[in-house]
Amino acid sequence: MTMRKFFQQIALGVVAFAGISATALAQTANVQVIHNCADPAAASVDVYVNGTLTLNNFAFRTATGFLPVPSGVALEVGVAPASSASVNDTIKSFTLGPLTAGENYVVVASGVVGTGFSANPDGRSIAFDLKVIASAQTASANSGEVDFTIFHGVTDAPGVDVKVTGGPTLATNARFGDATSYIGVAPTWYPIDIYATGGTNPVVRYVADLSGLADGAAVVFASGFFVPALNNSGPAFGLFAALANGTVVQLPVQQFANVQVIHNCADPAASSVDVYIDGAKALDNFNFRTATPFIQLLAGVDHSIAIAASNSTSVADAIVTFNNINLTANENYVVVASGVVGSGFAANPDGLSTAFDLKVIANAQTAAANSGKVDFAIFHGVTDAPGVDVKVTNGPTLATNARFGDATGYIEVNPTWYPIDIYATGGTNPAARYVADLTGLDGGAAVVFASGFFAPVLNNNGPGFGLFAALANGTVVQLPIQQNAMVQVLHNCADPAAASVDVYIDGAKAIDDFAFRTGTPFINLLAGVDHSIAVAPPNSTTVADALVTFNGINLAANGKYVVIASGVVGSSFAPNPDSKNIAFELKAIGNAQTAAADTNKVELMVFHGVTDAPTVDVKVAGGPTIVDNAAYGDNTSYIAVDPASYNLQIQDNTGMVTLATYTADVTALKGGSGVVLASGFLTPSLNNNGAAFGLFLALPTGGNFIALPAFNNISNVSEEISLSMFPNPSNGMVIFTFNSTETGLVSIHITDLSGRTVKQFANDYTGGNNTFAADLSELSNGTYLAGITLNGKTTVSRLAINR
């Protein structure tokens, strides 16, 4: 049966059984009946008017349209169970009227029939009754509006205040059975909050969507029970609207979508804007390349978003408005303001429209799908850029032929940093290179968006191209352009167990079978990110084989570093005499040099890398001290010297005892640089028979360290000084005779054949023949080297002690 025929039958039944002629219909009132009795026993009823069945099987939460009924006379209304046999089955009768001719009425069946129901909190009777709303409206009083009244029909609910969310109050302390006057509003949707009278927190929240009902009228009625379990398990509370034609619509509970807005319109005229949502200013002075956090917007209704110039006064100032933005409940969206507003901009190379638009990314994420990961989407927001491919440097492709306005799906990655290369679609050379540092974003999500103009001069001098990431909390981070530092790695770990190692940088094998006393050349590493360097046994298969890993190695852009592997990996090594920690480590030394600043000089840095050696000084024989009190792990700054040959004396920290002397011939290194490393062990037998002590030179080109020879030859270094010793061999007492044309401080030093200084004397002498007697009886029998140095000139002879 159609709704129209149903209404016609009702009308005919009312007229026929009222016992009046059709001619008398001019004297009628109009009545709408709403079944709002939530008693389960009355889920469907028959309604008799003056003994005649008028509404058959009239269901709960349904309504009639406005029907003409006789005015001026009383109407006997009987309510009987559904499918009743006659008016005799009536369980409750009511006298309705007399009604005023030409007047409109809404009659709401309310309350409960039986027992076992909660009392009304305000003490009102909940007995089944017909509540009459007089002066009802079948249409709005003012053209273009919607008029509605609110009826409280919930027996177990207290008095309530009804408000528009963030707006006016519609009803104050409305109690069961109360109806408000009609309220005229614009035909749009309204979020409705219901509070216990005087309360500050909504008890329930609904949406009344009145769009499309211009010129109409409705009754909004509260229905059901707040606590069904205490009311014979009757229907739960809800809010409904009965339209004048009898249609009943359930008002949905407020549900929300989460929306993040990103301002990526690079038009200089829109560098800051005001954003209106549904006519109200939501974002004031919203700046380019900023973002909101995810905010809640009502789902299931048509929103409007209007963009106006900053400091606007109302939505009427809008430059552009987007209507009918309807969001799905519990969904997440990212809305990107993109394109340009004005003219004078370069066309898109792919022929796409660059007009200002709101690009909506559905299925957005506020967090990663997996807590230990980071999820991100990529959005192409550059109007004058062609389609692009986006790749991780030497890694996977993240986007293929992404064009202006395109967004990828979310990509799940580990929370670390990634070098990103952007290519023109199909290109082989990156057009731009960036670093996406996702460390610390475990469990988070982001939108990486390309922003600005490739050619600002052709786009009203707008902002230049850049890559940015909007986090879910609204933070926008600019992704830096890839910048590098230069790094040389030197293997100076004398532990025999680490004689050869594999080196992993950021999880990838960078150096295979890296041998002790060798170095890499200077190589480029990304600056500004935390690198990890792991050391594994030779022939390892993955970074999981690492013996030790060093994290958080962050290099400055354009910096130069020497990274020295030092210390020992295992156990059973002699402790450091100065109690220094000798555990294996990587020491990163900044301000490294790949060449001398002065092309006529040689620049050298000295590093103390001998775990069982004490604090030492290093002195140029007959010259200055170049290293003062260097303990294990210490390094000097770079020292500029002339390109010549030098005898380097390693002395104890008093500077009085020379432990060893080495020759550093850097004549051929003019304009170059290097690192002089003390390497190995002073006492190999106490250090797992590791490599013996020596001085070595590492060059910026890498490769094997260059061993500096110990100063232990017996040929005259200087032809200008003669030296003789008597007796030789000696039983301990020796007379040194030397001749020189020069005057100055003369140093006589006795070394064993390993180069270790065992005795040293110094005194001022005049030119000519000089004699000096020395007691060497404390020395053990053996062969020694006796050297004499004057004004930087040295000669050496062999001396034997034999008692």
Side-chain angles (χ1 to χ4, degrees):
M1 179 183 297
T2 67
M3 185 67 71
R4 183 176 180 182
K5 288 183 178 179
F6 179 65
F7 288 158
Q8 287 176 341
Q9 286 193 8
I10 292 174
L12 290 173
V14 170
V15 171
F17 290 96
I20 60 174
S21 68
T23 305
L25 281 176
Q27 299 298 312
T28 59
N30 297 305
V31 175
Q32 178 179 49
V33 182
I34 300 173
H35 182 345
N36 194 40
C37 169
D39 188 334
S44 182
V45 297
D46 292 342
V47 179
Y48 292 84
V49 178
N50 291 344
T52 300
L53 179 62
T54 304
L55 299 176
N56 188 32
N57 295 336
F58 189 35
F60 175 57
R61 288 174 178 165
T62 63
T64 69
F66 277 88
L67 307 175
V69 297
S71 61
V73 296
L75 301 176
E76 295 299 324
V77 178
V79 179
S83 303
S84 60
S86 71
V87 70
N88 294 328
D89 296 325
T90 296
I91 55 176
K92 191 150 187 178
S93 296
F94 303 91
T95 299
L96 185 65
L99 304 179
T100 302
E103 185 64 86
N104 300 318
Y105 299 86
V106 171
V107 176
V108 185
S110 193
V112 292
V113 177
T115 60
F117 293 92
S118 297
N120 179 262
D122 297 317
R124 292 201 164 183
S125 170
I126 61 172
F128 180 78
D129 197 5
L130 297 182
K131 304 288 187 176
V132 178
I133 302 173
S135 301
Q137 292 182 209
T138 61
S140 64
N142 297 312
S143 177
E145 291 189 347
V146 181
D147 291 357
F148 65 92
T149 178
I150 300 172
F151 177 78
H152 185 326
V154 180
T155 58
D156 66 336
V160 295
D161 299 333
V162 182
K163 302 179 182 181
V164 175
T165 305
T169 297
L170 305 177
T172 300
N173 194 24
R175 297 187 294 172
F176 172 64
D178 289 349
T180 68
S181 300
Y182 276 80
I183 304 162
V185 296
T188 185
W189 56 267
Y190 297 90
I192 303 297
D193 294 342
I194 299 178
Y195 301 77
T197 296
T200 56
N201 295 313
V203 178
V204 286
R205 311 184 76 180
Y206 291 86
V207 178
D209 190 352
L210 307 181
S211 56
L213 297 183
D215 301 324
V219 176
V220 176
F221 60 97
S223 176
F225 297 108
F226 251 27
V227 187
L230 300 179
N231 289 277
N232 294 326
S233 297
F237 179 89
L239 214 56
F240 295 79
L243 309 184
N245 65 2
T247 301
V248 174
V249 179
Q250 183 169 5
L251 274 58
V253 174
Q254 288 184 28
Q255 290 184 288
F256 296 90
N258 297 306
V259 178
Q260 179 178 48
V261 183
I262 300 172
H263 182 344
N264 194 41
C265 168
D267 188 334
S271 60
S272 182
V273 297
D274 293 342
V275 179
Y276 291 82
I277 299 178
D278 303 318
K281 186 182 286 188
L283 301 173
D284 190 33
N285 297 332
F286 187 36
N287 292 324
F288 175 56
R289 289 174 178 166
T290 63
T292 68
F294 277 87
I295 57 178
Q296 287 192 327
L297 285 183
L298 274 173
V301 296
D302 288 336
H303 293 281
S304 69
I305 298 181
I307 312 297
S310 58
N311 301 314
S312 63
T313 58
S314 76
V315 71
D317 297 326
I319 300 168
V320 61
T321 300
F322 301 89
N323 294 312
N324 303 320
I325 299 174
N326 201 301
L327 309 174
T328 302
N330 304 314
E331 185 61 88
N332 302 319
Y333 299 86
V334 171
V335 177
V336 186
S338 194
V340 293
V341 178
S343 58
F345 294 91
N348 178 263
D350 297 316
L352 299 173
S353 170
T354 63
F356 181 82
D357 198 5
L358 296 181
K359 305 287 188 176
V360 178
I361 302 173
N363 300 315
Q365 293 183 208
T366 60
N370 295 305
S371 60
K373 301 289 186 177
V374 180
D375 293 355
F376 67 92
I378 300 173
F379 177 79
H380 184 327
V382 180
T383 57
D384 66 336
V388 295
D389 299 334
V390 183
K391 302 179 181 181
V392 174
T393 305
N394 299 320
T397 296
L398 304 176
T400 301
N401 193 26
R403 301 190 299 167
F404 171 64
D406 287 348
T408 67
Y410 278 79
I411 303 161
E412 181 181 86
V413 296
N414 291 318
T416 184
W417 55 265
Y418 297 89
I420 303 294
D421 295 343
I422 300 177
Y423 301 77
T425 297
T428 55
N429 294 315
R433 311 188 75 180
Y434 293 85
V435 178
D437 191 352
L438 306 181
T439 55
L441 297 183
D442 311 45
V447 175
V448 176
F449 59 99
S451 177
F453 297 107
F454 253 26
V457 71
L458 300 179
N459 290 276
N460 294 328
N461 294 315
F465 179 88
L467 215 57
F468 296 78
L471 309 184
N473 64 3
T475 301
V476 173
V477 180
Q478 183 169 6
L479 274 58
I481 294 172
Q482 288 186 29
Q483 291 183 286
N484 294 316
M486 297 183 70
V487 177
Q488 179 179 43
V489 183
L490 305 178
H491 183 344
N492 194 45
C493 169
D495 187 336
S500 179
V501 296
D502 292 342
V503 179
Y504 291 81
I505 299 178
D506 302 319
K509 187 182 286 187
I511 310 172
D512 192 33
D513 296 336
F514 189 32
F516 175 53
R517 288 176 178 164
T518 65
T520 68
F522 276 85
I523 58 177
N524 283 327
L525 282 183
L526 273 176
V529 296
D530 287 336
H531 293 281
S532 69
I533 298 181
V535 179
N539 303 313
S540 64
T541 56
T542 73
V543 71
D545 298 326
L547 300 171
V548 62
T549 300
F550 300 90
N551 296 311
I553 299 174
N554 200 301
L555 309 173
N558 303 313
K560 295 178 182 177
Y561 298 83
V562 170
V563 176
I564 303 176
S566 191
V568 293
V569 178
S571 57
S572 300
F573 291 91
N576 179 263
D578 298 315
S579 300
K580 297 285 186 178
N581 184 357
I582 63 172
F584 180 82
E585 68 168 347
L586 295 180
K587 180 167 184 179
I589 302 171
N591 300 314
Q593 294 186 207
T594 56
D598 184 341
T599 56
N600 292 315
K601 296 286 188 179
V602 179
E603 297 203 28
L604 301 174
M605 176 176 68
V606 181
F607 175 77
H608 185 327
V610 180
T611 59
D612 65 338
T615 298
V616 297
D617 295 343
V618 179
K619 181 179 180 182
V620 176
T625 297
I626 58 174
V627 178
D628 187 38
N629 290 337
Y632 167 67
D634 289 347
N635 65 277
T636 68
S637 300
Y638 279 82
I639 304 163
V641 298
D642 292 323
S645 181
Y646 300 90
N647 290 326
L648 302 181
Q649 297 176 329
I650 301 177
Q651 302 177 332
D652 66 6
N653 61 354
T654 68
M656 298 301 294
V657 178
T658 298
L659 305 174
T661 302
Y662 292 84
T663 298
D665 187 352
V666 293
T667 306
L669 295 184
K670 182 179 178 180
S673 65
V675 179
V676 176
L677 302 102
S679 177
F681 297 108
L682 280 183
T683 311
S685 62
L686 298 179
N687 289 278
N688 293 326
N689 294 314
F693 175 88
L695 276 191
F696 293 81
L697 175 63
L699 300 179
T701 52
N704 293 324
F705 295 176
I706 300 170
L708 301 185
F711 180 65
N712 61 1
N713 63 76
I714 60 174
S715 61
N716 287 343
V717 177
S718 172
E719 299 291 340
E720 302 177 23
I721 305 175
S722 64
L723 173 66
S724 64
M725 293 167 286
F726 179 83
N728 188 11
S730 169
N731 64 0
M733 291 301 296
V734 179
I735 297 173
F736 294 91
T737 301
F738 54 92
N739 182 282
S740 174
T741 59
E742 299 182 16
T743 297
L745 179 67
V746 173
S747 171
I748 297 175
H749 44 273
I750 312 298
T751 65
D752 61 21
L753 294 183
S754 72
R756 183 171 63 93
T757 298
V758 295
K759 200 75 173 178
Q760 182 167 303
F761 313 94
N763 209 342
D764 287 319
Y765 292 93
T766 59
N769 290 320
N770 291 279
T771 300
F772 176 75
D775 182 2
L776 303 180
S777 58
E778 64 190 69
L779 298 182
S780 302
N781 289 343
T783 300
Y784 296 86
L785 298 176
I788 183 168
T789 300
L790 172 63
N791 297 335
K793 300 170 184 178
T794 302
T795 189
V796 178
S797 296
R798 192 182 300 272
L799 169 66
I801 302 294
N802 186 12
R803 287 187 291 274

